[in-house]
Amino acid sequence: MRQFEVTFIVDPVLSDDEIKSAAKNYSDMIVHEGGKIVHLDEMGLRQLAYPINKRNTGVYFSLEFQSESGAFIPKMELSMKRDERILRFLTVRLDKYGVKYNEDKRNGLIGKRKDWKKKKAEDEV
């Protein structure tokens, strides 16, 4: 099975329910087309690098999923282009290193610098 990741930015002006429904809409589309959701990460409200549609912030979502062929991805991207709630999106196919990185990140092995220093100190003793 191939593994993909789509990251999209939702308009922050919407209500919390509308923001959540946008993410649920695309995860339901993936499941309906025969894909399997691996992980949905709501990264929250973040500052944009440059203004998009006169917005300086956006709500980030990262949706990791598996699919046999990924044939429905152009249909999903067309839907995202037409959706006014979505400011930007990016879909990528993950190789084995990307899959391993995301798995380690979910398990807390990446991004915990303090724990790494503690573990290094324990190894030296």
Side-chain angles (χ1 to χ4, degrees):
M1 259 206 185
R2 295 180 180 165
Q3 196 147 336
F4 300 91
E5 181 178 59
V6 60
T7 303
F8 55 95
I9 307 170
V10 181
D11 194 348
V13 176
L14 303 171
S15 70
D16 287 341
D17 294 335
E18 290 174 325
I19 291 171
K20 301 259 190 234
S21 72
K24 184 165 175 30
N25 183 22
Y26 293 108
S27 63
D28 289 345
M29 180 185 291
I30 291 168
V31 171
H32 178 71
E33 295 289 337
K36 177 186 170 195
I37 303 295
V38 175
H39 185 69
L40 173 64
D41 185 18
E42 181 181 351
M43 294 182 262
L45 186 69
R46 293 187 177 212
Q47 185 78 23
L48 299 175
Y50 54 89
I52 302 172
N53 296 341
K54 298 182 182 177
R55 306 280 190 262
N56 292 319
T57 59
V59 181
Y60 280 70
F61 284 93
S62 179
L63 182 59
E64 192 175 342
F65 62 95
Q66 293 179 340
S67 174
E68 285 295 329
S69 64
F72 65 90
I73 291 176
K75 183 175 144 184
M76 181 179 70
E77 288 181 342
L78 180 64
S79 175
M80 285 184 169
K81 284 180 188 176
R82 291 178 176 168
D83 193 349
E84 293 179 0
R85 301 175 294 183
I86 306 295
L87 298 177
R88 289 281 191 274
F89 67 90
L90 177 68
T91 307
V92 294
R93 179 173 177 241
L94 298 173
D95 60 356
K96 65 180 181 179
Y97 303 108
V99 172
K100 175 78 170 119
Y101 177 84
N102 285 346
E103 185 178 310
D104 289 347
K105 189 174 178 183
R106 281 193 298 275
N107 293 332
L109 300 175
I110 296 175
K112 302 280 184 176
R113 187 127 179 117
K114 292 179 184 176
D115 293 340
W116 177 76
K117 287 181 180 178
K118 281 183 185 178
K119 185 176 179 182
K120 186 176 179 183
E122 290 173 359
D123 290 343
E124 290 177 357
V125 173

